[in-house]
Amino acid sequence: MKMTVSQAMVECLKAEEIKVVYGYPGAAICPFYDALLDADKDIKHVLVRHEANGGHAASGYARISGKPAVCIATSGPGAVNLITAIATAYADSIPIVCITGQVNTDQIGSDVFQEADVTGAAEPFVKHSYLLKDPDDVGRVFKEAFYIAGSGRPGPVLIDVPMDVQKMTVDFKYPKKCEIRSYKPTGKGNALQVKRVTEALRTAEKPLICIGGGVFASNAQAEVVEVSKKLNIPVITTMMGISVFADEDPLYVGMIGTHGTKLANYAVNACDTLFLVGARVGDRAVKTPLELEKDTKILHIDIDPAEIGKNIGADIPLVGDAKTVLRQMLDYLEKHPEGNADHTEWLEHIDGKRVPAEFAKPVKGTVNPKEFLQRLSERMPADVNICADVGQNQIWTSRYQFKKGGRFLTSGGMGTMGYSLPCAIGAKMADESRITVAVCGDGGFQMNMMELATAVQYGVDVKVVVFTNTRLGMVRELQTKGYNDRQMAVFLDGSPDFVKLAAAYGIPAIRVTDKKSEDKAIETLATEKGMLVCEVVVDKDFPTL
């Protein structure tokens, strides 16, 4: 069928069943936007207020839908602004397809208005990128982009399309299959390695399962829960693995790492066999991997062979998709039911070290953020999306008590401030039935608060909790502890009144400064529909842990 490349690009999105795209237009992407207008009944376009937030919103949508999501930007500054979101998605293995406009083909390399080599600039942060110069390649490029983004270890793929190419005519046909000779991701695990991992785990005296974000990437939540319950093995998570297990599950121990729970970190040091599932063992999770290797048998599943042995040596490596490999392990256990070690004593040992949470009395006029989140989690329904920003608020929120079906979303690998609100918008649009809450600090909120307008414009019912301490809290704490309290560039004086700011957008707002206002805010967040901004005033010196 004869059509312009821009129209063909829209047909590609339809073929991939894309219902929502996030973007910010400009001259170099206008031909594509013109074609999108004719498809507005099939594809909803959401105008974000900053290009990076389009990428973050697509990230939130992809994480809840389980499918690649789409963001769009124009050439030059638009495309370059998007790189922060691309890097954020790459670090956490989130499948997004990023479409950018480019100057005309004959102008590339001439430093014309709004020209930037975005494919070159984004190269370290993409799974793959395309500069689409041949109009006949449009179908193949889009088919490959979605396949690459969503298969194997997921990640962002960039498609840069010159403006003159967008206007060209092509005889379009979308490919039914995608075959890339140099790209063959491994799904099924080696049968012998599956047996070795399973036997090592079932016969260990003090085994421990560590869940990372790869479990969500492969939709393997049910399988990893089943393995742990069948073998009666306790579980810890990295930050990206939070909410796979409900917090009330007796097998769940907590989050590992620099800002993890004492119990989870104790369990890592006390176990004799550590089973890593979709976890890359970053420096925030394990500070001294070489020490851990000496006394602990390491079993490691990952879809990306480059991750196995990169940060910590593996005694038994197993390359494959987590869902597929865990299902293989369950099949093996079904066929060989005998031989499971009794882990009761190990579980009782860990359980005996659990300590109930205690909350310090807050300074007058402020509240304890940890207690606020604890009470909020008790009042919220089970299937809630909690989208945390970066900084102290992220660590406080990581202690949120998730019930079965809840989901924790944050920027783990890149640690991108400003992620939470656009992520929450995308997450809510992916599943409108779930209450979705963005949790920010007053620093991170001021990097993304313009997206309140996006939520209002498109009727996206997100709740926003802003912990206000008039400081860049985590940096302030680092300066206090590590630099003799020489505080520099951490004061947020001049910040707006967030309650009045919300009112300017027509959004209801509440400020929490004491027990009475805390009670009202928690009840409102949990029960009332519609947007809400909830400012929670926190002492400027309140610690992260």
Side-chain angles (χ1 to χ4, degrees):
M1 185 182 296
K2 293 284 187 181
M3 62 180 70
T4 65
V5 168
S6 293
Q7 291 169 328
M9 291 162 67
V10 172
E11 292 303 315
C12 293
L13 299 185
K14 288 181 183 178
E16 293 294 337
E17 299 182 349
I18 298 300
K19 304 298 182 185
V20 181
V21 296
Y22 301 90
Y24 204 106
I29 197 67
C30 265
F32 178 47
Y33 268 82
D34 185 63
L36 270 175
L37 182 61
D38 293 328
D40 62 348
K41 292 182 180 179
D42 300 302
I43 301 173
K44 182 185 184 74
H45 181 275
V46 175
L47 175 65
V48 293
R49 271 37 178 188
H50 188 284
E51 291 89 352
N53 292 332
H56 296 327
S59 169
Y61 193 99
R63 294 173 77 168
I64 295 301
S65 70
K67 296 171 56 180
V70 175
C71 56
I72 308 165
T74 192
S75 65
V80 172
N81 276 345
L82 190 56
I83 290 178
T84 298
I86 293 172
T88 301
Y90 184 76
D92 288 335
S93 303
I94 310 301
I96 59 174
V97 174
C98 310
I99 302 169
T100 55
Q102 184 54 275
V103 299
N104 288 336
T105 308
D106 62 353
Q107 295 176 321
I108 293 175
S110 301
D111 293 332
V112 296
F113 179 69
Q114 288 196 334
E115 182 197 356
D117 177 12
V118 67
T119 53
E123 189 60 30
F125 310 115
V126 293
K127 195 173 176 186
H128 195 63
S129 63
Y130 297 91
L131 176 57
L132 181 58
K133 290 185 174 182
D134 186 342
D136 291 330
D137 286 341
V138 61
R140 176 187 62 81
V141 164
F142 270 75
K143 187 69 176 179
E144 289 182 5
F146 278 93
Y147 174 63
I148 293 170
S151 62
R153 180 179 180 173
V157 175
L158 172 66
I159 307 174
D160 195 36
V161 192
M163 185 162 57
D164 58 328
V165 174
Q166 294 175 49
K167 297 176 182 178
M168 293 177 183
T169 302
V170 64
D171 190 1
F172 176 73
K173 184 178 181 181
Y174 198 59
K176 292 182 179 180
K177 293 183 179 181
C178 182
E179 288 289 336
I180 305 174
R181 184 165 47 182
S182 59
Y183 178 68
K184 303 288 183 183
T186 302
K188 191 173 181 180
N190 177 276
L192 178 59
Q193 293 299 88
V194 169
K195 176 182 176 181
R196 292 181 66 201
V197 166
T198 309
E199 287 295 340
L201 197 60
R202 75 192 302 189
T203 58
E205 184 180 341
K206 296 186 291 184
L208 187 65
I209 298 174
C210 179
I211 295 171
V215 169
F216 285 115
S218 65
N219 192 28
Q221 298 96 300
E223 285 76 12
V224 75
V225 169
E226 189 176 349
V227 166
S228 68
K229 292 188 181 300
K230 190 175 282 288
L231 295 177
N232 203 28
I233 297 175
V235 174
I236 59 172
T237 70
T238 65
M239 182 175 283
M240 296 303 293
I242 290 174
S243 70
V244 170
F245 267 71
D247 281 73
E248 66 264 25
D249 194 304
L251 290 177
Y252 184 57
V253 180
M255 182 181 79
I256 189 181
T258 306
H259 297 110
T261 65
K262 290 182 179 179
L263 184 61
N265 287 324
Y266 169 81
V268 171
N269 291 316
C271 75
D272 61 11
T273 302
L274 182 61
F275 181 33
L276 301 165
V277 186
R280 58 190 177 85
V281 200
D283 61 306
R284 291 296 180 96
V286 179
K287 266 191 173 182
T288 54
L290 294 179
E291 290 298 315
L292 188 61
E293 285 178 35
K294 291 179 182 178
D295 304 312
T296 310
K297 180 179 284 188
I298 306 295
L299 322 173
H300 195 170
I301 293 177
D302 205 291
I303 188 69
D304 185 355
E307 289 296 340
I308 298 178
K310 185 176 79 174
N311 294 323
I312 189 169
D315 294 279
I316 308 179
L318 181 48
V319 178
D321 172 71
K323 187 181 185 73
T324 303
V325 171
L326 290 166
R327 179 48 56 190
Q328 288 178 268
M329 291 176 64
L330 288 166
D331 290 343
Y332 178 85
L333 289 168
E334 191 73 30
K335 293 174 183 177
H336 305 86
E338 70 291 337
N340 292 353
D342 183 4
H343 301 133
T344 305
E345 186 177 340
W346 167 231
L347 285 165
E348 289 176 349
H349 175 73
I350 293 176
D351 200 48
K353 293 188 175 294
R354 293 183 188 270
V355 179
E358 293 184 4
F359 301 111
K361 186 176 180 180
V363 173
K364 187 177 181 180
T366 71
V367 300
N368 185 315
K370 299 178 184 179
E371 186 175 15
F372 178 88
L373 288 163
Q374 173 76 30
R375 296 188 61 214
L376 180 64
S377 67
E378 291 169 356
R379 186 66 185 85
M380 278 285 188
D383 56 345
V384 63
N385 295 325
I386 301 292
C387 307
D389 218 273
V390 172
Q392 286 183 311
N393 67 89
Q394 182 185 45
I395 308 308
W396 298 332
T397 309
S398 71
R399 307 297 178 88
Y400 182 97
Q401 301 293 298
F402 282 91
K403 300 167 187 171
K404 188 175 182 180
R407 187 69 190 272
F408 179 68
L409 306 175
T410 193
S411 169
M414 192 57 59
T416 304
M417 288 180 69
Y419 179 77
S420 59
L421 179 53
C423 171
I425 290 171
K428 179 66 176 181
M429 294 184 73
D431 186 348
E432 295 184 0
S433 69
R434 301 168 68 97
I435 291 179
T436 300
V437 182
V439 181
C440 327
D442 46 348
F445 182 56
Q446 291 181 80
M447 289 189 175
N448 66 25
M449 63 189 185
M450 73 286 286
E451 298 307 329
L452 290 174
T454 304
V456 169
Q457 181 177 357
Y458 297 95
V460 185
D461 175 9
V462 294
K463 320 293 183 186
V464 183
V465 174
V466 184
F467 288 119
T468 300
N469 58 8
T470 66
R471 298 290 186 275
L472 296 176
M474 187 164 277
V475 181
R476 189 280 308 160
E477 191 170 19
L478 287 170
Q479 292 178 348
T480 297
K481 292 179 178 179
Y483 298 89
N484 298 316
D485 201 26
R486 288 166 55 83
Q487 296 182 31
M488 171 66 183
V490 293
F491 305 100
L492 292 171
D493 302 306
S495 297
D497 181 320
F498 296 126
V499 171
K500 290 181 179 178
L501 178 75
Y505 285 103
I507 302 170
I510 187 169
R511 179 176 288 117
V512 177
T513 58
D514 54 23
K515 185 70 166 58
K516 184 178 179 181
S517 55
E518 182 178 15
D519 292 342
K520 180 182 177 182
I522 288 171
E523 189 65 22
T524 304
L525 284 164
T527 60
E528 293 193 12
K529 293 185 178 180
M531 290 191 69
L532 176 73
V533 171
C534 175
E535 182 188 17
V536 181
V537 180
V538 178
D539 177 38
K540 63 182 176 59
D541 295 318
F542 196 90
T544 300
L545 296 177

